[in-house]
Amino acid sequence: MAIGITDITTIHAENLNVGEEARQQSVTAAHAAINAAIAAW
């Protein structure tokens, strides 16, 4: 019998090195995706 993780959600942030505004938008979007994934769980 195997016990493991079967439902994986990957969230990434892009444009972290483009500029501060783009970085902040990407981090904000990633945080929103994390919160949505937690709420759906």
Side-chain angles (χ1 to χ4, degrees), residues 3 10-11 14-15 19-20 24-25 27 30-32 34 36 39-40:
I3 299 175
T10 302
I11 299 170
E14 298 177 341
N15 299 322
E20 186 58 34
Q24 187 58 46
Q25 288 174 350
V27 170
H31 283 165
I34 291 167

Side-chain angles (χ1 to χ4, degrees), residues 1-8:
M1 175 186 281
I3 299 175
I5 300 171
T6 59
D7 186 10
I8 299 170

